[in-house]
Amino acid sequence: MEQAKANTPKLFVCTVIENKDEIEERYERAYVFFQSLVADCSEKEAHDALNNAVCKNHEDVSLGMLMSILTEPHNATKCYRDLTLVTRDGLASVLNNLSNLILERYLKFQDTTRNQLLWLIKEMMRNAVTGVDNVCWNLMRYASGGDITPKNIYLVESLLDIYIENRMWLDKFPVLICMVVYTYLRLIEDHNIPHLMSLRQKEVNFVIALMREHFTDVLTLGRDLVRLLQNVARIPEFNQLWQEILVNPRSLCPNFSNVLQLLQTRTSRRYLQSRITPDMERKLVFLTSQVRFGHHKKYQEWFQRQYLATPESQSLRSDMIRFIVGVIHPTNELLCSDIIPRWAVIGWLLTTCTSNVAASNAKLALFYDWLFYEPDKDNIMNIEPAILVMHHSMRSHPAVTATLLDFLCRIIPNFYPPYSDKVRQGIFNSLQQIIEKRVLPNLQPLFDSPKLDRELRSTVRETFKEFCSNSNGEGVSGMREEGSEDLPKVISDEPAFSDDEEDSQALTEDTDDDDIPLSEVRARERPELAAALPLIMRPLAETLLDERSTTATKAFLNACGSPMPSASALADLFAAILQDAPPLKISTNPSPTELETVIDSPIFSMFSYLNGEGTEAKRKLVLEILKEINEQGSFQNVGFCLLFYLKVCFERERRAECDTVKRRNVKFKVDIYRNYCSFLELKIADSIANDFEKCQENDANVLVWLIPDVYREFKEQAQNHIKLLNVIVSTLDAGQLQRLVCLTLQGNLMMFKSDDITTMLSTSLGWETFEQYCLWQLLTAHDISVEDVLPIIPKLSYKDHAEAVTSVLLMLKQERPTADVIRQLFCREIDEEDTFVVSTIMYWCQDYEDKVGDLLSVLLSTRYPGTSPNKRKRPGKHNIPPNAPPSAELVLGHLEQIRVCCVEQDDMSIFNMECMQKALQQSQSNSSDSLRRQYSELFSLAWEDELPISRRARKLISNSLPLNQNLHSSNEDSEEEEIVKPKQAKRRKKAISDSD
C-alpha cells in the first residue's frame, strides 16, 4: 500500500512547505482503492471488480477513476469508457465533485490536469452527459479579464474551440449561452494586441453569431450587456450590430422594441459574479466581512500585488466594482460594525487606478445602476456605495468626490442623447431614494461643499437644484419630515451621516482617514441627524448631540409630542449617541457613588421612562425607539444595559429602606425586562444569553455582578441554559469563579437544576479546558449528585474529555459504591490506556472491598444466566439500548484490567472472595471458546472445585485502613445491597500510625 501511495500521480502543484489537504488526500485514497481493484486484471476481470465495488462504494470508485482520467492521459480513454459503464447515477457525483474541485483548486492544477479537464469536458459534451453545463460555467469563471498570461489565454481559446466544435450541444442551454456571450464580450476588450488578433477575430465571429441566433435569450442579460457592447463598439461587426439594435431592433428579435428595454433590466448577480474568479471573490468577501477599518491596508497591498499589478489588469477594476456593488450586500449587523465598508474598498480601487480609460469605465461601473434606476424594480444597495464614496471622500480625498460629481453631471446629456431625459430621471430617482431611505439625510453639504471648484459647484447646483438649498436655507430632507415613519427601513453602510460644514471649514488641513478605525471616522463627522426631525425639536437634538447628558436626554424626550417624530428618526439619533458612549465598566465591588455615576448617561435616562417616570405614551415611545435600534442592529448593548439599570435601581431601593423586613421585601423589577422582550418580540432565555454575550465583550465585572439576580429572577429561563452558561464560564477568572462558588455556598445563587442536566454536560464536553474547569467547580458547589452525571460516564473519552473525566473521578472518590454507579462504569469502552474504571474500583477497595466484591460478582453473574453458550444470544454492540447494563465482554474486559492492577500490587484478595469465585466459575462455564481463550488468565483465578473459599485477609501495611465494621458482609443478599444508597458521601479514613 505504501508503494502504491508513493506512485500516486499528483493533481496539484505543491511547494515543499505545503501539507496535503483533505481534498488531495481524499482523491489519492480513492485512486489507490481504484488501482487495487484493477491492478494485474484482464479487462473483463477489471470490469467485474469495478461493478462489484461500485455497488458498495460508488463514491470512492468514481473519484478514483476521475483522478486517473485527470492525471493519466494514456489511460484516460479506457478509464472514461469504464466510468460510463459502471456509474449508477449518470455521472452526477463525478460532475458534482468535478465542479467543487474546479471552484476550490483549479489554480493549483498541474498542466496535465488542466489539459485532461478540457478533454473530459469535451467527451462529456459529445456524450450529452446531463449537468456538464454547470461544470463549464464554473470553469469559465477562471477565464479572467485583465489577464493575458499564456495559461489564461490557453484556457480562453480552448473553451472557445470546444464551444465552436460542439455548437449544437451549446444551443440547448440558453443560460450557458448568456454566460458565454457575457464572458467573451468582456474578454474581447483585453485582446486588442497584435499577437492576439487572430484569437480576437475568432471570438468576435463566434459571439456575433451567438447573439444574432439567440438574441431573445441574450436579452435577459440586461443593462450590463449594453455596458460591455459599448467597450467593443468600434469593432466593425459590433458596430453593425449596434446600428441594428438602435435603428431596427425588431430585426433581431420580434419582442425587442428598443435599447431602453435592455437598460431598464437589472443584470442578474450571477453574471456580475462570473467575471471575478472564485479566488478573487473569496478575497473580496473576506476584505468586506472580516477586516477591520484601519487594519486593511496590508490586505489591499497584497491584493494589488496579486491581481492588479500589470497594465492589462486595469480593466479588471470595473469587474470588481460591479461585483461589489451588485453582489456584496452586507447584513445590518455588518454595516454597523467596524468592518471595512464597501465604499472604502471602491474608493481604494478608484484612487489606485492609473489608466484614464479604465478610470472612466470604473466610474461608469459605479454609477451604472443610477442611470435607469426604478425604485420598485432596483435595489438601493446597488446605488448606495457611490453616494457614500462621494460623501466620505470629501474630507480626505476631495478630488475623488469632485471627479465623481463631474462624471455624474456630464453623463446625463452624453450617455445617449435621445435618452437624456430618461437618464436624468433615473439619477433623480436614485437621489430621491437615498434621501427617503436616509442613506444620507441631506445632500446639500455634498453638492454645495466649499471644497469643490466654483465652476463645478455651479454645475452641480444647476443640475441638481432640487436637492440643494431652497430659499429658506432648508435641505430637501427638511421638506419630508412628516410621514417619514411610513418609509422603509434604511439599510446602508452609514445610515445617517453627513459632512458638517462648520467642522470642515474649521480644519486647517485635511487628514487621511485610511489608517484610523471606522468609529473615529464616524466621530470626526458630525451627524446631521437633527435634519430628520420637526423644526421645533432640532435645537434640543443639537443640544443632545453636543452634551450627551441625562438632562439633555430627558429634555428632548419630554418635548416629543405633536408633531411626533418617527421612531426610525429617533433611533438614528440615539444610535449615533450611544455608539460613541464609553463602554459600561465597574469595579469588582462597586460603591453606590460609582453606580450612580455610571448610570448618568442617555441610555439609562431612556430606561427611567420604562420605570414609571413620565406618561404611558412616553414609555411606549421609548420602547419603539429601542425596538427600531434593535432591528437596525446599530447598538447591540441595550439589553444588558437594561439589566444593569434594574440591578442598580434594586440596590438603590434596598439601601433606602431602614427597616430590615421592608428591605427584604424590595422587589427586583423583573417585569420591565419581560415587557421589553415582549415588545421587541424576543424570547427571554435567548435575549438574556445574547445580552450576557454582549456584556462579556464589555466588562466581566458587570457580568459577574448581574449573575445572582438574573438566575434568581429568571430561574426557569436561566438555569441549565447552555449558551448562557458557556458565556459565563468563558468570561470568569479564578477570583470571579471563587466569588460565584461562595455565593452558591451561601445560598444566594442557584445556576443548575437536575432536570435535563445530562444534555448540558454532554454539550460542555467540547468547551475549552478552563471553561470546563469552571463548570465542574460550580457543579460541585451546587452539590450535584453522582446520579445526575451517571448517564455521561460511558460517553466520556479519557483522551478528548480529560477535564470531565477528572472531575467525575474526584466526585466518585467521595461516594460509596452502588450497583448503578458500577453498572455505568462498566459500560465504558475497553482501552488499555484508560484507567478510569480501574482507578475508581481500586480506590473503593481500600474501604469497601467486600461491598465492591459483592457488586462485581452480581454484575458478572447477571451477564451469564445458566444456559448453554450455544443457545444464548448476545446483543451486538450497536443494538444495546442506552440505559442497558454492560455486556459480558465489557464486564470481563474491565475485570481483566483490574486483575492486572491487582497482580502489580500483589493483592488478589478481591478475586479470592467466595462470591467472585462463584461468578468466575459460572461465567467460565457459560462463555464461548473464544472468550475463554481471550480471558484465560482471568478465568484461571477461579478454583476448579466449587467449595466456598475463605477470603484472604487484606494485607496490612503502614498506610493501611481499618476494616469498616458497618459494612455488610459478602454473605448478605446482593439485591438488598444494590438498593442501599447513602445520603452522605463517606470520606476516606486517615491512616493509622505505628505508634497507634
Side-chain angles (χ1 to χ4, degrees):
M1 183 63 71
E2 294 299 325
Q3 183 66 27
K5 287 185 179 180
N7 296 329
T8 303
K10 298 291 183 183
L11 272 174
F12 310 124
V13 176
C14 297
T15 63
V16 292
I17 62 172
E18 289 180 323
N19 293 324
K20 291 181 181 178
D21 58 17
E22 294 181 0
I23 294 178
E24 189 170 2
E25 290 181 347
R26 181 188 178 201
Y27 275 83
E28 287 188 0
R29 286 195 303 269
Y31 176 83
V32 171
F33 175 64
F34 164 66
Q35 289 296 327
S36 68
L37 295 175
V38 300
D40 303 324
C41 292
S42 65
E43 188 169 335
K44 184 179 183 307
E45 292 171 339
H47 186 70
D48 291 341
L50 290 173
N51 267 320
N52 291 332
V54 83
C55 296
K56 302 175 183 177
N57 200 342
H58 184 272
E59 184 81 0
D60 283 350
V61 174
S62 300
L63 289 185
M65 299 179 82
L66 175 60
M67 182 166 176
S68 178
I69 294 170
L70 294 176
T71 57
E72 297 175 333
H74 57 285
N75 290 330
T77 303
K78 177 180 177 299
C79 196
Y80 176 70
R81 183 198 65 200
D82 292 342
L83 179 60
T84 58
L85 291 174
V86 303
T87 183
R88 295 293 186 270
D89 60 0
L91 298 180
S93 63
V94 169
L95 290 169
N96 185 46
N97 282 289
L98 192 58
S99 289
N100 292 333
L101 198 61
I102 291 170
L103 290 173
E104 298 291 335
R105 294 291 185 274
Y106 178 79
L107 295 178
K108 296 181 69 175
F109 276 7
Q110 299 271 7
D111 289 342
T112 301
T113 306
R114 297 188 185 202
N115 294 337
Q116 287 303 112
L117 174 61
L118 293 168
W119 176 87
L120 178 59
I121 288 174
K122 192 187 305 183
E123 290 298 311
M124 288 180 169
M125 285 182 182
R126 289 174 180 170
N127 293 302
V129 175
T130 303
V132 72
D133 54 313
N134 291 327
V135 177
C136 294
W137 180 287
N138 292 327
L139 184 58
M140 286 179 68
R141 291 191 62 186
Y142 286 97
S144 176
D147 184 357
I148 57 172
T149 58
K151 282 189 176 180
N152 192 58
I153 294 300
Y154 173 75
L155 176 61
V156 170
E157 189 164 15
S158 298
L159 284 172
L160 181 63
D161 291 338
I162 290 175
Y163 291 137
I164 292 173
E165 184 180 344
N166 296 276
R167 177 61 187 279
M168 292 181 64
W169 174 86
L170 179 62
D171 289 342
K172 300 176 183 177
F173 300 97
V175 177
L176 185 60
I177 289 172
C178 292
M179 172 67 162
V180 171
V181 169
Y182 192 83
T183 298
Y184 280 96
L185 270 178
R186 169 65 185 88
L187 297 175
I188 288 170
E189 177 187 352
D190 295 329
H191 299 164
N192 190 23
I193 52 179
H195 74 278
L196 295 178
M197 292 307 292
S198 60
L199 170 61
R200 181 186 180 189
Q201 191 58 48
K202 185 162 54 171
E203 291 171 332
V204 169
N205 295 339
F206 180 65
V207 172
I208 287 290
L210 268 184
M211 290 188 69
R212 289 186 176 277
E213 295 176 22
H214 297 276
F215 202 81
T216 303
D217 299 325
V218 172
L219 282 176
T220 60
L221 284 170
R223 61 175 64 122
D224 276 270
L225 173 64
V226 178
R227 183 177 62 86
L228 295 182
L229 283 172
Q230 286 178 293
N231 295 336
V232 296
R234 294 186 179 182
I235 298 174
E237 291 86 347
F238 285 109
N239 185 41
Q240 183 180 350
L241 181 64
W242 258 119
Q243 295 304 316
E244 294 182 41
I245 290 175
L246 297 175
V247 178
N248 191 14
R250 296 193 186 278
S251 64
L252 296 169
C253 172
N255 298 325
F256 182 45
S257 56
N258 52 43
V259 72
L260 185 62
Q261 183 178 337
L262 273 171
L263 291 168
Q264 290 179 334
T265 303
R266 183 156 55 99
T267 301
S268 171
R269 298 170 67 177
R270 65 187 306 192
Y271 296 113
L272 301 179
Q273 179 191 39
S274 71
R275 287 299 78 228
I276 301 291
T277 67
D279 191 54
M280 292 179 196
E281 179 184 356
R282 283 189 286 268
K283 301 301 188 301
L284 286 173
V285 170
F286 175 81
L287 191 64
T288 53
S289 63
Q290 302 292 328
V291 178
R292 294 192 176 277
F293 201 96
H295 301 275
H296 57 282
K297 275 201 168 182
K298 61 181 179 180
Y299 296 99
Q300 290 177 345
E301 289 169 358
W302 180 92
F303 195 94
Q304 177 93 14
R305 291 193 303 269
Q306 188 77 10
Y307 302 114
L308 300 172
T310 63
E312 300 81 19
S313 63
Q314 294 292 324
S315 64
L316 193 57
R317 295 175 190 270
S318 297
D319 298 331
M320 291 180 176
I321 290 174
R322 292 302 292 153
F323 171 75
I324 294 170
V325 166
V327 180
I328 297 181
H329 290 175
T331 61
N332 238 7
E333 183 178 1
L334 203 60
L335 293 174
C336 299
S337 69
D338 272 347
I339 300 301
I340 181 172
R342 296 187 300 165
W343 58 260
V345 179
I346 292 173
W348 159 65
L349 291 173
L350 292 173
T351 54
T352 55
C353 187
T354 58
S355 164
N356 291 333
V357 175
S360 296
N361 288 337
K363 294 171 193 173
L364 181 63
L366 179 59
F367 286 112
Y368 204 60
D369 290 304
W370 287 51
L371 306 185
F372 297 91
Y373 185 81
E374 297 180 66
D376 56 336
K377 294 182 180 178
D378 288 288
N379 191 335
I380 192 173
M381 295 296 282
N382 291 1
I383 63 173
E384 177 231 50
I387 196 70
L388 292 178
V389 169
M390 294 190 289
H391 166 69
H392 288 283
S393 298
M394 184 64 81
R395 181 181 185 86
S396 54
H397 301 290
V400 173
T401 303
T403 58
L404 292 176
L405 283 174
D406 181 68
F407 182 88
L408 196 59
C409 292
R410 291 176 184 274
I411 202 171
I412 293 175
N414 294 319
F415 179 76
Y416 183 50
Y419 287 166
S420 59
D421 291 340
K422 299 286 186 184
V423 174
R424 179 185 297 273
Q425 186 60 48
I427 293 176
F428 274 51
N429 288 342
S430 301
L431 293 172
Q432 189 71 33
Q433 190 85 340
I434 285 166
I435 292 295
E436 290 179 354
K437 294 294 184 70
R438 303 206 327 278
V439 177
L440 293 181
N442 195 347
L443 295 175
Q444 182 189 352
L446 176 64
F447 287 165
D448 199 23
S449 172
K451 294 185 178 183
L452 299 178
D453 176 78
R454 179 176 298 178
E455 183 180 351
L456 177 59
R457 285 175 67 187
S458 177
T459 303
V460 171
R461 288 176 63 86
E462 179 62 28
T463 306
F464 304 113
K465 54 181 176 291
E466 295 89 345
F467 298 95
C468 297
S469 296
N470 57 28
S471 57
N472 296 324
E474 270 184 2
V476 242
S477 59
M479 298 185 290
R480 293 180 179 81
E481 61 201 25
E482 300 301 331
S484 59
E485 63 272 15
D486 297 327
L487 297 176
K489 186 167 72 77
V490 179
I491 302 177
S492 69
D493 291 275
E494 300 291 325
F497 281 66
S498 176
D499 282 330
D500 185 342
E501 291 304 305
E502 296 177 359
D503 289 351
S504 64
Q505 292 174 9
L507 291 173
T508 57
E509 62 178 9
D510 290 332
T511 53
D512 193 343
D513 292 338
D514 287 350
D515 293 324
I516 64 177
L518 183 58
S519 57
E520 291 187 30
V521 175
R522 291 170 174 167
R524 287 183 180 186
E525 299 179 357
R526 167 70 175 276
E528 297 291 342
L529 297 165
L533 300 172
L535 287 171
I536 194 172
M537 297 193 64
R538 292 183 189 178
L540 293 171
E542 293 287 353
T543 303
L544 178 57
L545 287 165
D546 287 334
E547 297 180 2
R548 308 191 179 211
S549 63
T550 299
T551 304
T553 304
K554 291 188 176 181
F556 178 82
L557 289 174
N558 289 335
C560 289
S562 180
M564 179 68 74
S566 67
S568 57
L570 293 174
D572 285 346
L573 176 67
F574 280 101
I577 294 170
L578 299 178
Q579 281 176 341
D580 295 329
L584 175 59
K585 292 183 180 297
I586 60 173
S587 60
T588 305
N589 294 302
S591 64
T593 304
E594 179 186 351
L595 294 175
E596 294 300 330
T597 303
V598 169
I599 65 170
D600 184 21
S601 70
I603 183 67
F604 298 108
S605 302
M606 297 173 69
F607 293 153
S608 66
Y609 290 89
L610 305 181
N611 196 21
E613 184 174 328
T615 63
E616 177 64 19
K618 287 293 188 295
R619 186 188 73 86
K620 188 174 181 181
L621 175 63
V622 170
L623 284 173
E624 289 175 349
I625 295 172
L626 297 179
K627 183 175 184 178
E628 186 70 21
I629 290 175
N630 179 72
E631 290 178 354
Q632 291 180 3
S634 51
F635 184 70
Q636 304 286 335
N637 300 339
V638 173
F640 88 77
C641 286
L642 177 57
L643 288 171
F644 180 83
Y645 171 79
L646 295 176
K647 166 84 169 179
V648 173
C649 293
F650 176 63
E651 295 293 336
R652 182 195 294 160
E653 291 181 24
R654 291 187 63 195
R655 287 195 306 271
E657 284 292 348
C658 299
D659 185 83
T660 306
V661 176
K662 290 182 178 180
R663 186 183 302 121
R664 284 198 298 265
N665 292 333
V666 171
K667 300 296 183 182
F668 188 99
K669 296 184 178 179
V670 66
D671 288 339
I672 294 178
Y673 187 83
R674 294 183 187 276
N675 292 337
Y676 161 80
C677 291
S678 176
F679 195 87
L680 270 63
E681 299 177 356
L682 304 173
K683 293 182 179 179
I684 294 180
D686 295 339
S687 180
I688 292 173
N690 292 332
D691 290 340
F692 264 53
E693 189 173 24
K694 296 302 177 184
C695 184
Q696 171 200 44
E697 298 170 4
N698 279 262
D699 185 38
N701 285 333
V702 175
L703 184 145
V704 175
W705 195 61
L706 291 176
I707 285 174
D709 298 272
V710 168
Y711 272 92
R712 181 185 67 249
E713 303 297 336
F714 301 96
K715 180 170 66 174
E716 291 301 320
Q717 294 86 4
Q719 287 183 349
N720 286 13
H721 194 287
I722 295 172
K723 181 180 177 180
L724 176 61
L725 191 60
N726 188 25
V727 169
I728 291 173
V729 298
S730 63
T731 307
L732 300 177
D733 59 24
Q736 291 163 341
L737 173 62
Q738 181 192 28
R739 182 177 175 183
L740 294 184
V741 169
C742 291
L743 287 170
T744 303
L745 297 181
Q746 295 167 20
N748 295 327
L749 177 61
M750 183 62 67
M751 299 175 67
F752 305 101
K753 55 186 176 182
S754 298
D755 299 343
D756 199 31
I757 198 171
T758 305
T759 303
M760 184 266 294
L761 291 176
S762 300
T763 305
S764 71
L765 298 177
W767 296 355
E768 297 294 332
T769 295
F770 189 73
E771 294 172 5
Q772 292 194 57
Y773 168 79
C774 292
L775 171 64
W776 285 100
Q777 290 284 307
L778 292 170
L779 284 168
T780 304
H782 282 76
D783 284 334
I784 297 298
S785 67
V786 171
E787 286 76 10
D788 294 326
V789 302
L790 282 183
I792 71 163
I793 289 179
K795 305 175 185 177
L796 298 178
S797 165
Y798 76 99
K799 289 182 179 178
D800 301 328
H801 310 138
E803 302 88 351
V805 167
T806 303
S807 300
V808 174
L809 192 60
L810 294 176
M811 186 180 288
L812 292 174
K813 177 177 179 290
Q814 304 298 326
E815 300 292 326
R816 294 174 113 184
T818 65
D820 288 339
V821 175
I822 286 185
R823 182 167 62 248
Q824 294 293 351
L825 286 176
F826 276 66
C827 283
R828 292 176 58 78
E829 293 296 321
I830 305 295
D831 192 303
E832 293 182 359
E833 298 180 15
D834 182 7
T835 60
F836 180 85
V837 176
V838 174
S839 302
T840 306
I841 296 299
M842 296 307 292
Y843 178 81
W844 277 339
C845 282
Q846 297 176 52
D847 276 348
Y848 312 113
E849 187 176 56
D850 292 346
K851 178 72 175 265
V852 171
D854 284 343
L855 294 175
L856 292 182
S857 63
V858 169
L859 184 63
L860 182 59
S861 300
T862 54
R863 297 305 90 221
Y864 283 96
T867 58
S868 169
N870 296 327
K871 294 182 180 179
R872 183 174 66 254
K873 294 182 180 180
R874 298 191 187 114
K877 172 185 171 184
H878 299 289
N879 296 326
I880 299 176
N883 297 323
S887 64
E889 289 82 357
L890 283 176
V891 175
L892 291 173
H894 287 298
L895 286 176
E896 172 62 17
Q897 288 187 319
I898 296 171
R899 182 195 68 79
V900 172
C901 186
C902 289
V903 170
E904 291 176 353
Q905 295 183 5
D906 192 23
D907 186 355
M908 306 298 294
S909 57
I910 190 170
F911 288 101
N912 289 333
M913 293 173 62
E914 178 183 355
C915 56
M916 285 297 294
Q917 285 290 308
K918 289 183 178 180
L920 286 174
Q921 291 169 3
Q922 181 180 346
S923 61
Q924 183 181 20
S925 62
N926 290 311
S927 293
S928 62
D929 292 338
S930 61
L931 280 180
R932 289 173 186 169
R933 287 193 297 271
Q934 184 178 355
Y935 299 107
S936 58
E937 296 187 40
L938 177 65
F939 287 136
S940 68
L941 298 178
W943 288 55
E944 293 182 1
D945 56 42
E946 298 185 1
L947 295 176
I949 301 172
S950 60
R951 182 172 62 85
R952 183 161 57 96
R954 182 182 303 147
K955 187 185 296 182
L956 295 176
I957 54 177
S958 60
N959 61 347
S960 62
L961 302 176
L963 293 175
N964 191 338
Q965 300 300 324
N966 296 325
L967 289 179
H968 297 286
S969 69
S970 60
N971 293 327
E972 290 178 334
D973 188 353
S974 60
E975 290 295 324
E976 182 181 348
E977 289 289 326
E978 288 184 31
I979 63 173
V980 176
K981 294 184 179 177
K983 294 184 179 179
Q984 185 175 2
K986 180 176 179 63
R987 300 188 179 275
R988 187 175 178 180
K989 297 181 180 179
K990 295 182 180 179
I992 301 174
S993 64
D994 291 342
S995 60
D996 292 333

